[in-house]
Amino acid sequence: MFTCVLWQVFGGLGDGTRLNDVHLLDLRTLMWRTPPTHGAKPPPRSHHACCVFGDQLLVLGGLAQAEGARRLLPSADLYVLDLNTWSWSCAMTQGTRPSARLDLGMAVVRT
């Protein structure tokens, strides 16, 4: 995967605008970069949760404005960014997913 230690930033709220961009900070050099991503990118959002699992960045929920929507709504969607190909996809999960939410926490748990 990576040969350096990276800190990832996804989306959020900047100057009153919701974002869906990805930024990486190399913690050894303190150099920022913005990788070009492609695929089914999540709608811009804030108040979401994200974490890294293996070679994937997982983004869940938040306050988002879907394409064509007039207002912001809490989201229940789960998006995945492949950190090798920088390709986004909307995860097709099974079972009963959590209800739409914002200001949530998210962690990878080993069982």
XYZ file of all heavy atoms in Angstrom:
853
model
N 0.834 -1.184 0.000
C 0.000 0.000 0.000
C 0.878 1.247 0.000
O 1.371 1.637 -1.039
C -0.950 -0.021 1.196
C -1.993 1.058 1.138
S -3.326 0.829 2.348
C -2.714 1.804 3.674
N 1.121 1.884 1.157
C 1.906 3.104 1.216
C 3.261 2.824 1.828
O 3.401 1.967 2.682
C 1.193 4.168 2.070
C -0.126 4.588 1.521
C -1.296 4.257 2.161
C -0.202 5.311 0.349
C -2.518 4.650 1.671
C -1.407 5.704 -0.165
C -2.573 5.377 0.492
N 4.270 3.583 1.410
C 5.593 3.450 1.989
C 5.846 4.520 3.040
O 6.920 4.603 3.570
C 6.666 3.542 0.891
O 6.514 4.802 0.226
C 6.536 2.405 -0.093
N 4.869 5.359 3.301
C 5.021 6.391 4.315
C 3.750 6.456 5.162
O 2.744 5.845 4.835
C 5.300 7.742 3.661
S 4.018 8.286 2.535
N 3.821 7.196 6.228
C 2.675 7.349 7.111
C 1.856 8.541 6.613
O 2.376 9.645 6.474
C 3.128 7.570 8.567
C 1.936 7.777 9.469
C 3.972 6.396 9.035
N 0.571 8.291 6.334
C -0.279 9.343 5.777
C -1.455 9.623 6.690
O -2.001 8.720 7.316
C -0.814 8.930 4.402
C 0.205 8.735 3.301
C -0.479 8.203 2.049
C 0.939 10.019 2.994
N -1.853 10.866 6.724
C -3.065 11.293 7.403
C -4.046 11.692 6.314
O -3.698 12.465 5.414
C -2.732 12.466 8.312
C -3.875 12.983 9.121
C -4.778 12.251 9.838
C -4.230 14.346 9.315
N -5.672 13.082 10.472
C -5.349 14.385 10.158
C -3.708 15.546 8.853
C -5.963 15.556 10.551
C -4.304 16.720 9.249
C -5.420 16.715 10.079
N -5.259 11.146 6.352
C -6.247 11.387 5.303
C -7.347 12.297 5.803
O -7.819 12.156 6.930
C -6.861 10.080 4.826
C -5.844 9.180 4.191
C -6.470 7.893 3.726
O -7.279 7.306 4.419
N -6.070 7.466 2.549
N -7.756 13.211 4.931
C -8.879 14.097 5.207
C -9.877 13.921 4.074
O -9.499 13.968 2.896
C -8.423 15.572 5.274
C -9.614 16.496 5.441
C -7.410 15.776 6.392
N -11.152 13.698 4.430
C -12.202 13.612 3.415
C -13.341 14.546 3.775
O -13.846 14.529 4.898
C -12.779 12.190 3.276
C -14.021 12.180 2.437
C -13.938 12.278 1.063
C -15.269 12.159 3.026
C -15.086 12.346 0.290
C -16.423 12.216 2.260
C -16.328 12.310 0.887
N -13.774 15.333 2.781
C -14.978 16.142 2.905
C -14.946 17.120 4.058
O -13.905 17.595 4.472
N -16.150 17.429 4.554
C -16.292 18.371 5.644
C -16.970 19.643 5.184
O -17.559 19.713 4.101
N -16.852 20.663 5.990
C -17.491 21.946 5.725
C -16.410 23.007 5.665
O -15.652 23.179 6.613
C -18.495 22.257 6.845
C -19.405 23.455 6.691
C -20.292 23.306 5.462
C -20.271 23.618 7.931
N -16.317 23.708 4.543
C -15.326 24.766 4.384
C -15.955 26.002 3.778
O -16.551 25.938 2.707
N -15.854 27.114 4.487
C -16.435 28.381 4.025
C -17.909 28.245 3.666
O -18.370 28.786 2.661
C -15.649 28.934 2.833
C -14.238 29.352 3.215
O -14.052 29.791 4.370
O -13.334 29.249 2.377
N -18.655 27.455 4.467
C -20.089 27.299 4.250
C -20.462 26.332 3.139
O -21.631 26.165 2.830
N -19.480 25.669 2.542
C -19.721 24.730 1.450
C -19.320 23.328 1.880
O -18.239 23.132 2.436
C -18.891 25.123 0.204
O -19.234 26.443 -0.173
C -19.135 24.175 -0.942
N -20.186 22.342 1.628
C -19.829 20.957 1.910
C -18.894 20.450 0.818
O -19.036 20.805 -0.341
C -21.084 20.103 2.024
C -21.643 20.245 3.408
C -23.047 19.784 3.609
N -23.438 20.078 4.977
C -23.773 21.295 5.418
N -23.776 22.317 4.607
N -24.100 21.481 6.679
N -17.966 19.588 1.232
C -16.905 19.134 0.327
C -16.915 17.618 0.190
O -17.431 16.915 1.051
C -15.547 19.592 0.872
C -15.424 21.100 1.149
C -14.192 21.396 1.973
C -15.421 21.875 -0.153
N -16.325 17.121 -0.885
C -16.134 15.676 -1.061
C -14.765 15.385 -1.665
O -14.602 14.475 -2.458
C -17.262 15.046 -1.888
C -17.308 15.564 -3.310
O -16.672 16.557 -3.651
N -18.062 14.890 -4.157
N -13.787 16.157 -1.246
C -12.431 15.980 -1.746
C -11.599 15.165 -0.764
O -11.959 14.989 0.385
C -11.777 17.337 -2.008
C -11.877 18.287 -0.813
O -12.522 17.932 0.197
O -11.311 19.382 -0.896
N -10.475 14.647 -1.256
C -9.558 13.842 -0.448
C -8.208 14.551 -0.418
O -7.701 14.978 -1.469
C -9.371 12.428 -1.046
C -8.319 11.641 -0.278
C -10.684 11.684 -1.075
N -7.649 14.691 0.778
C -6.314 15.272 0.938
C -5.489 14.328 1.792
O -6.013 13.693 2.719
C -6.391 16.641 1.614
C -7.142 17.644 0.817
N -6.545 18.399 -0.163
C -8.438 18.003 0.838
C -7.451 19.193 -0.711
N -8.611 18.962 -0.120
N -4.211 14.237 1.492
C -3.288 13.380 2.235
C -2.142 14.224 2.764
O -1.609 15.074 2.047
C -2.711 12.294 1.322
C -3.702 11.391 0.607
C -2.976 10.494 -0.383
C -4.477 10.560 1.599
N -1.767 13.985 4.004
C -0.608 14.632 4.586
C 0.402 13.554 4.954
O 0.103 12.655 5.738
C -0.992 15.426 5.848
C 0.164 16.089 6.596
C 0.842 17.140 5.736
C -0.320 16.671 7.911
N 1.591 13.622 4.358
C 2.678 12.718 4.709
C 3.215 13.199 6.058
O 3.751 14.307 6.150
C 3.766 12.751 3.635
C 4.877 11.763 3.904
O 5.303 11.628 5.077
O 5.335 11.134 2.944
N 3.064 12.394 7.101
C 3.427 12.816 8.446
C 4.934 12.864 8.681
O 5.380 13.417 9.681
C 2.752 11.900 9.480
C 1.224 11.989 9.485
C 0.637 10.943 10.425
C 0.758 13.381 9.867
N 5.695 12.322 7.757
C 7.152 12.409 7.891
C 7.696 13.697 7.283
O 8.610 14.309 7.823
C 7.815 11.203 7.234
C 7.497 9.915 7.954
C 8.161 8.739 7.305
N 7.737 7.528 7.973
C 7.770 6.338 7.423
N 8.210 6.175 6.197
N 7.355 5.290 8.093
N 7.119 14.111 6.146
C 7.618 15.299 5.437
C 6.718 16.519 5.639
O 7.104 17.625 5.269
C 7.705 15.018 3.931
O 6.392 14.782 3.415
C 8.615 13.829 3.645
N 5.498 16.300 6.171
C 4.480 17.338 6.327
C 4.108 17.970 4.979
O 3.798 19.148 4.893
C 4.913 18.398 7.346
C 5.117 17.868 8.766
C 5.531 18.993 9.697
C 3.848 17.176 9.275
N 4.127 17.149 3.939
C 3.769 17.586 2.593
C 2.354 17.116 2.265
O 2.037 15.934 2.385
C 4.740 16.993 1.560
C 4.386 17.286 0.125
S 4.714 18.975 -0.363
C 6.482 18.939 -0.484
N 1.476 18.059 1.874
C 0.113 17.740 1.458
C 0.085 17.358 -0.009
O 0.864 17.881 -0.814
C -0.795 18.960 1.631
C -1.201 19.248 3.030
C -0.671 20.227 3.836
C -2.225 18.606 3.793
N -1.299 20.212 5.053
C -2.263 19.234 5.057
C -3.103 17.552 3.534
C -3.148 18.857 6.053
C -3.986 17.184 4.528
C -3.999 17.819 5.763
N -0.856 16.475 -0.361
C -1.153 16.201 -1.768
C -2.625 15.828 -1.898
O -3.265 15.417 -0.926
C -0.249 15.120 -2.356
C -0.458 13.731 -1.831
C 0.581 12.784 -2.452
N 0.453 11.459 -1.918
C -0.058 10.427 -2.580
N -0.481 10.579 -3.812
N -0.134 9.241 -2.017
N -3.144 16.006 -3.088
C -4.544 15.705 -3.375
C -4.569 14.681 -4.505
O -4.343 15.038 -5.662
C -5.304 16.984 -3.800
O -5.148 17.952 -2.770
C -6.774 16.700 -4.000
N -4.816 13.408 -4.197
C -4.801 12.391 -5.248
C -6.025 12.537 -6.156
O -7.119 12.856 -5.681
C -4.855 11.074 -4.477
C -5.550 11.423 -3.202
C -5.147 12.834 -2.885
N -5.846 12.327 -7.452
C -7.015 12.345 -8.347
C -7.833 11.079 -8.126
O -7.296 9.982 -8.135
C -6.395 12.375 -9.743
C -5.032 11.776 -9.575
C -4.602 12.084 -8.169
N -9.126 11.237 -7.856
C -10.004 10.087 -7.644
C -10.998 9.997 -8.790
O -11.210 10.965 -9.524
C -10.762 10.196 -6.313
O -11.605 11.350 -6.339
C -9.797 10.288 -5.135
N -11.592 8.829 -8.952
C -12.610 8.629 -9.984
C -13.638 7.632 -9.462
O -13.503 7.101 -8.374
C -11.970 8.170 -11.296
C -11.214 6.885 -11.169
N -9.938 6.808 -10.651
C -11.563 5.610 -11.465
C -9.537 5.550 -10.653
N -10.495 4.800 -11.132
N -14.675 7.415 -10.249
C -15.726 6.478 -9.846
C -16.917 7.202 -9.250
O -17.098 8.405 -9.431
N -17.744 6.456 -8.505
C -18.987 6.965 -7.903
C -18.661 7.710 -6.615
O -18.801 7.183 -5.511
C -19.954 5.812 -7.635
N -18.218 8.948 -6.766
C -17.809 9.781 -5.644
C -19.000 10.109 -4.746
O -20.094 10.367 -5.229
C -17.243 11.071 -6.229
C -16.359 11.865 -5.364
C -15.796 13.027 -6.185
C -14.585 13.601 -5.521
N -14.052 14.727 -6.280
N -18.807 10.116 -3.411
C -19.907 10.473 -2.517
C -20.335 11.924 -2.748
O -19.502 12.764 -3.083
C -19.309 10.338 -1.115
C -17.999 9.680 -1.273
C -17.575 9.817 -2.682
N -21.615 12.220 -2.538
C -22.034 13.626 -2.589
C -21.286 14.413 -1.507
O -20.920 13.845 -0.477
C -23.529 13.578 -2.286
C -23.946 12.178 -2.548
C -22.753 11.328 -2.266
N -21.050 15.700 -1.712
C -20.402 16.505 -0.671
C -21.153 16.367 0.652
O -22.384 16.300 0.668
C -20.511 17.932 -1.220
C -20.580 17.756 -2.701
C -21.369 16.498 -2.903
N -20.379 16.312 1.763
C -21.008 16.073 3.061
C -20.161 16.612 4.204
O -18.962 16.829 4.061
C -21.260 14.584 3.263
C -20.002 13.755 3.343
C -20.285 12.264 3.263
N -21.013 11.960 2.058
C -22.044 11.102 2.003
N -22.417 10.428 3.070
N -22.670 10.888 0.875
N -20.831 16.786 5.323
C -20.173 17.140 6.580
C -20.790 16.278 7.673
O -21.787 15.595 7.444
C -20.367 18.632 6.888
O -21.739 18.938 6.995
N -20.196 16.292 8.849
C -20.708 15.548 10.011
C -20.756 14.038 9.770
O -21.571 13.340 10.369
C -22.097 16.056 10.424
C -22.150 17.530 10.657
N -21.660 18.109 11.797
C -22.610 18.535 9.874
C -21.827 19.409 11.723
N -22.394 19.702 10.564
N -19.906 13.518 8.902
C -19.842 12.092 8.580
C -18.748 11.429 9.421
O -18.071 12.095 10.200
C -19.532 11.915 7.086
C -18.258 12.591 6.693
N -18.202 13.951 6.463
C -17.001 12.124 6.518
C -16.955 14.278 6.154
N -16.201 13.196 6.184
N -18.591 10.146 9.241
C -17.501 9.401 9.881
C -16.711 8.691 8.795
O -17.263 8.314 7.757
C -18.058 8.386 10.874
N -15.422 8.513 9.033
C -14.626 7.717 8.102
C -13.508 7.014 8.861
O -13.110 7.430 9.947
C -14.096 8.557 6.943
S -13.056 9.929 7.366
N -13.063 5.912 8.292
C -11.934 5.177 8.849
C -11.289 4.373 7.728
O -11.852 4.207 6.652
C -12.367 4.272 10.008
S -13.399 2.885 9.544
N -10.101 3.895 7.991
C -9.367 3.081 7.025
C -9.409 1.636 7.485
O -9.178 1.330 8.656
C -7.911 3.569 6.886
C -7.099 2.622 6.025
C -7.873 4.974 6.314
N -9.716 0.738 6.545
C -9.688 -0.704 6.788
C -8.906 -1.319 5.644
O -9.350 -1.287 4.493
C -11.102 -1.271 6.853
C -11.134 -2.770 7.028
C -10.680 -3.354 8.192
C -11.600 -3.577 6.012
C -10.697 -4.727 8.353
C -11.618 -4.957 6.156
C -11.169 -5.529 7.332
N -7.721 -1.841 5.947
C -6.872 -2.390 4.886
C -6.518 -1.305 3.881
O -5.982 -0.269 4.249
N -6.854 -1.548 2.625
C -6.566 -0.606 1.543
C -7.805 0.185 1.152
O -7.940 0.597 -0.002
C -6.034 -1.355 0.310
C -4.666 -1.944 0.555
O -4.022 -1.576 1.550
O -4.233 -2.764 -0.266
N -8.717 0.405 2.097
C -9.965 1.101 1.795
C -10.237 2.199 2.813
O -10.048 1.998 4.012
C -11.151 0.133 1.818
C -11.050 -0.987 0.812
C -12.203 -1.950 0.942
O -12.639 -2.266 2.047
N -12.697 -2.421 -0.182
N -10.703 3.339 2.299
C -11.228 4.395 3.148
C -12.739 4.267 3.120
O -13.345 4.263 2.044
C -10.821 5.779 2.623
C -11.441 6.974 3.343
C -10.907 7.084 4.772
C -11.192 8.258 2.576
N -13.364 4.091 4.283
C -14.812 3.930 4.391
C -15.416 5.238 4.894
O -14.930 5.806 5.880
C -15.147 2.804 5.364
C -14.476 1.464 5.083
C -14.702 0.505 6.232
C -14.980 0.885 3.791
N -16.464 5.710 4.230
C -17.140 6.955 4.603
C -18.614 6.627 4.830
O -19.280 6.097 3.939
C -16.999 8.027 3.506
C -17.771 9.273 3.871
C -15.530 8.356 3.264
N -19.123 6.949 6.017
C -20.495 6.602 6.382
C -21.261 7.835 6.840
O -20.760 8.638 7.637
C -20.490 5.581 7.517
C -21.855 5.159 8.075
C -22.657 4.385 7.032
C -21.680 4.341 9.341
N -22.496 7.951 6.358
C -23.440 8.935 6.865
C -23.040 10.374 6.651
O -22.342 10.723 5.718
N -23.517 11.210 7.556
C -23.247 12.635 7.491
C -24.437 13.419 6.968
O -25.517 12.883 6.720
N -24.220 14.691 6.801
C -25.231 15.597 6.273
C -24.854 15.889 4.831
O -23.806 16.486 4.564
C -25.258 16.879 7.110
C -26.443 17.800 6.965
C -27.755 17.082 7.273
C -26.286 19.003 7.874
N -25.682 15.436 3.900
C -25.335 15.517 2.480
C -26.499 16.049 1.666
O -27.657 15.946 2.071
C -24.930 14.140 1.959
N -26.158 16.589 0.514
C -27.172 17.040 -0.436
C -27.017 16.186 -1.684
O -26.074 16.334 -2.436
C -27.001 18.512 -0.775
C -28.103 19.052 -1.647
C -28.066 20.569 -1.722
O -27.262 21.218 -1.092
N -28.959 21.127 -2.506
N -27.950 15.265 -1.858
C -27.912 14.382 -3.018
C -28.138 15.200 -4.290
O -28.751 16.272 -4.260
C -28.967 13.296 -2.891
N -27.639 14.688 -5.386
C -27.792 15.368 -6.668
C -29.270 15.635 -6.956
O -30.103 14.742 -6.881
C -27.189 14.506 -7.784
C -27.074 15.234 -9.092
C -26.339 14.420 -10.127
O -25.449 13.630 -9.752
O -26.655 14.577 -11.310
N -29.596 16.870 -7.257
C -30.967 17.247 -7.571
C -31.823 17.562 -6.360
O -32.934 18.049 -6.498
N -31.318 17.302 -5.156
C -32.101 17.571 -3.945
C -32.053 19.059 -3.606
O -31.078 19.736 -3.896
C -31.569 16.752 -2.777
N -33.106 19.542 -2.984
C -33.177 20.961 -2.622
C -32.605 21.261 -1.252
O -32.261 22.388 -0.956
C -34.624 21.437 -2.675
C -35.173 21.479 -4.055
C -36.544 22.082 -4.051
N -37.014 22.231 -5.409
C -38.105 22.873 -5.724
N -38.855 23.403 -4.784
N -38.458 22.974 -6.986
N -32.551 20.248 -0.384
C -32.069 20.512 0.966
C -31.148 19.406 1.444
O -31.090 18.330 0.855
C -33.233 20.698 1.921
C -34.130 19.507 2.063
C -35.385 19.852 2.882
N -36.181 18.668 3.071
C -36.386 18.093 4.246
N -35.871 18.609 5.332
N -37.115 17.016 4.337
N -30.450 19.685 2.515
C -29.536 18.721 3.122
C -30.314 17.729 3.968
O -31.261 18.103 4.652
C -28.524 19.442 3.998
C -27.610 20.411 3.272
C -26.906 21.305 4.261
C -26.617 19.651 2.428
N -29.896 16.477 3.914
C -30.546 15.430 4.695
C -29.493 14.533 5.333
O -28.428 14.309 4.752
C -31.437 14.575 3.797
C -32.634 15.277 3.156
C -33.275 14.372 2.120
C -33.630 15.674 4.221
N -29.780 13.986 6.525
C -28.885 12.976 7.086
C -28.805 11.781 6.132
O -29.793 11.409 5.508
C -29.551 12.587 8.407
C -30.408 13.760 8.753
C -30.880 14.308 7.433
N -27.631 11.203 6.045
C -27.386 10.119 5.088
C -27.127 8.797 5.805
O -26.625 8.780 6.917
C -26.173 10.488 4.234
O -25.797 9.428 3.415
N -27.462 7.699 5.135
C -27.164 6.361 5.654
C -26.240 5.604 4.702
O -25.982 4.424 4.899
C -28.459 5.573 5.855
N -25.739 6.271 3.671
C -24.948 5.564 2.669
C -23.522 5.300 3.138
O -23.002 5.961 4.026
C -24.966 6.288 1.326
C -24.547 7.748 1.415
O -23.933 8.140 2.421
O -24.835 8.487 0.473
N -22.927 4.270 2.546
C -21.547 3.882 2.834
C -20.774 3.888 1.525
O -21.124 3.165 0.585
C -21.499 2.479 3.461
C -20.099 1.905 3.688
C -19.330 2.717 4.720
C -20.202 0.440 4.124
N -19.746 4.723 1.457
C -18.892 4.789 0.267
C -17.523 4.230 0.608
O -17.063 4.327 1.748
C -18.759 6.231 -0.211
C -19.949 6.688 -1.023
C -21.078 7.187 -0.404
C -19.944 6.588 -2.408
C -22.183 7.596 -1.135
C -21.043 6.987 -3.154
C -22.148 7.494 -2.510
O -23.235 7.883 -3.251
N -16.873 3.670 -0.409
C -15.558 3.056 -0.238
C -14.603 3.644 -1.269
O -14.916 3.695 -2.468
C -15.640 1.522 -0.436
C -14.265 0.890 -0.302
C -16.621 0.913 0.562
N -13.441 4.097 -0.804
C -12.378 4.563 -1.693
C -11.255 3.537 -1.655
O -10.667 3.292 -0.593
C -11.862 5.933 -1.255
C -10.692 6.489 -2.055
C -11.072 6.706 -3.522
C -10.180 7.785 -1.437
N -10.976 2.917 -2.791
C -9.856 1.976 -2.912
C -8.564 2.801 -2.918
O -8.360 3.623 -3.824
C -9.988 1.156 -4.190
C -8.898 0.122 -4.334
O -7.694 0.492 -4.266
O -9.218 -1.055 -4.538
N -7.707 2.613 -1.932
C -6.512 3.432 -1.788
C -5.375 3.021 -2.712
O -4.343 3.692 -2.758
C -6.046 3.407 -0.326
C -7.069 3.969 0.668
C -6.572 3.789 2.093
C -7.384 5.423 0.370
N -5.562 1.955 -3.480
C -4.572 1.567 -4.491
C -4.901 2.177 -5.847
O -4.015 2.604 -6.581
C -4.486 0.041 -4.615
C -3.911 -0.583 -3.364
O -2.860 -0.179 -2.887
N -4.610 -1.547 -2.818
N -6.197 2.219 -6.175
C -6.625 2.714 -7.491
C -7.254 4.104 -7.423
O -7.517 4.710 -8.446
C -7.662 1.765 -8.119
O -8.837 1.748 -7.294
C -7.098 0.350 -8.240
N -7.541 4.587 -6.201
C -8.217 5.871 -5.964
C -9.583 5.902 -6.623
O -10.041 6.917 -7.117
C -7.342 7.049 -6.399
C -6.063 7.063 -5.624
C -4.834 6.724 -6.102
C -5.889 7.365 -4.243
N -3.905 6.801 -5.090
C -4.527 7.197 -3.939
C -6.764 7.754 -3.233
C -4.015 7.407 -2.663
C -6.252 7.972 -1.957
C -4.890 7.797 -1.687
N -10.247 4.763 -6.624
C -11.572 4.618 -7.225
C -12.637 4.533 -6.129
O -12.520 3.725 -5.210
C -11.615 3.365 -8.095
O -12.890 3.198 -8.645
N -13.690 5.367 -6.264
C -14.819 5.369 -5.333
C -15.897 4.392 -5.780
O -16.098 4.203 -6.980
C -15.476 6.747 -5.286
C -14.759 7.782 -4.508
C -14.026 8.825 -5.004
C -14.736 7.928 -3.089
N -13.552 9.592 -3.982
C -13.977 9.069 -2.795
C -15.290 7.197 -2.040
C -13.749 9.493 -1.490
C -15.069 7.620 -0.748
C -14.306 8.756 -0.478
N -16.606 3.819 -4.819
C -17.805 3.033 -5.112
C -18.759 3.169 -3.924
O -18.344 3.437 -2.799
C -17.471 1.563 -5.357
O -16.879 0.984 -4.218
N -20.036 3.004 -4.205
C -21.047 2.988 -3.156
C -21.205 1.521 -2.756
O -21.485 0.666 -3.599
C -22.367 3.566 -3.655
S -23.597 3.750 -2.356
N -20.981 1.221 -1.481
C -20.987 -0.170 -1.019
C -22.401 -0.749 -1.060
O -23.357 -0.112 -0.640
C -20.441 -0.249 0.400
N -22.507 -1.944 -1.577
C -23.770 -2.687 -1.610
C -23.753 -3.628 -0.409
O -23.199 -4.720 -0.477
C -23.904 -3.458 -2.925
C -23.823 -2.572 -4.170
S -25.057 -1.262 -4.190
C -26.515 -2.205 -4.474
N -24.313 -3.174 0.701
C -24.289 -3.954 1.936
C -25.506 -4.870 2.025
O -26.451 -4.739 1.250
C -24.252 -3.015 3.155
O -25.423 -2.193 3.139
C -23.018 -2.131 3.129
N -25.459 -5.783 2.965
C -26.574 -6.697 3.214
C -27.035 -6.529 4.653
O -26.315 -5.979 5.485
C -26.136 -8.142 2.963
C -25.723 -8.382 1.533
C -25.268 -9.816 1.324
O -25.502 -10.701 2.142
N -24.622 -10.057 0.202
N -28.211 -6.993 4.957
C -28.742 -6.882 6.307
C -29.374 -5.514 6.533
O -29.509 -4.708 5.620
N -29.757 -5.255 7.765
C -30.390 -3.982 8.123
C -29.309 -2.963 8.439
O -28.565 -3.127 9.407
C -31.313 -4.160 9.341
O -32.263 -5.182 9.061
C -32.031 -2.870 9.667
N -29.218 -1.943 7.611
C -28.185 -0.935 7.835
C -28.639 0.062 8.901
O -29.834 0.200 9.172
C -27.848 -0.206 6.539
C -28.941 0.678 6.021
C -28.513 1.365 4.744
N -29.595 2.206 4.245
C -29.559 2.840 3.119
N -28.510 2.731 2.336
N -30.570 3.597 2.738
N -27.693 0.766 9.503
C -28.068 1.795 10.481
C -28.918 2.874 9.806
O -28.774 3.128 8.613
C -26.725 2.383 10.930
C -25.695 1.395 10.513
C -26.257 0.660 9.335
N -29.765 3.509 10.581
C -30.567 4.608 10.041
C -29.655 5.782 9.689
O -28.502 5.849 10.131
C -31.615 5.038 11.060
O -30.978 5.486 12.236
N -30.176 6.705 8.900
C -29.419 7.905 8.535
C -28.998 8.638 9.801
O -29.761 8.727 10.759
C -30.273 8.796 7.649
N -27.760 9.146 9.804
C -27.250 9.807 11.003
C -26.100 10.740 10.662
O -25.489 10.640 9.615
C -26.825 8.791 12.043
C -25.740 7.861 11.573
C -25.561 6.658 12.478
N -26.767 5.854 12.473
C -27.170 5.131 13.507
N -26.451 5.078 14.599
N -28.280 4.434 13.450
N -25.818 11.613 11.610
C -24.676 12.504 11.481
C -24.013 12.658 12.838
O -24.544 12.228 13.852
C -25.087 13.868 10.911
C -26.275 14.559 11.549
C -25.843 15.884 12.138
C -27.315 14.795 10.477
N -22.807 13.219 12.828
C -22.001 13.367 14.048
C -21.793 12.025 14.744
O -21.947 11.897 15.961
C -22.637 14.380 15.010
C -22.666 15.771 14.423
O -21.762 16.094 13.631
O -23.593 16.537 14.738
N -21.432 11.013 13.969
C -21.264 9.664 14.481
C -19.786 9.310 14.609
O -18.931 10.021 14.092
C -21.965 8.656 13.558
C -21.441 8.588 12.122
C -21.599 7.191 11.589
C -22.195 9.567 11.231
N -19.512 8.227 15.263
C -18.165 7.687 15.344
C -18.064 6.413 14.538
O -19.081 5.766 14.262
N -16.857 6.047 14.149
C -16.663 4.844 13.340
C -15.271 4.299 13.629
O -14.309 5.068 13.719
C -16.796 5.226 11.856
C -16.806 4.104 10.895
S -17.270 4.814 9.272
C -16.820 3.505 8.199
N -15.153 2.991 13.810
C -13.860 2.365 14.092
C -13.859 0.958 13.535
O -14.907 0.324 13.384
C -13.608 2.326 15.588
N -12.680 0.461 13.243
C -12.500 -0.925 12.835
C -12.248 -1.746 14.093
O -11.390 -1.376 14.904
C -11.327 -1.064 11.845
C -11.064 -2.520 11.520
C -11.605 -0.270 10.578
N -12.993 -2.830 14.277
C -12.869 -3.655 15.466
C -12.448 -5.068 15.038
O -13.073 -5.666 14.171
C -14.215 -3.728 16.234
C -14.092 -4.617 17.450
C -14.667 -2.331 16.613
N -11.436 -5.576 15.667
C -10.994 -6.944 15.395
C -11.730 -7.872 16.340
O -11.732 -7.657 17.552
C -9.497 -7.082 15.601
C -8.996 -8.470 15.205
C -7.554 -8.677 15.540
N -6.745 -7.644 14.944
C -5.480 -7.821 14.590
N -4.908 -8.972 14.782
N -4.809 -6.834 14.048
N -12.363 -8.928 15.796
C -13.062 -9.892 16.643
C -12.412 -11.253 16.559
O -11.691 -11.564 15.661
C -14.539 -10.026 16.229
O -14.603 -10.438 14.877
C -15.255 -8.709 16.429
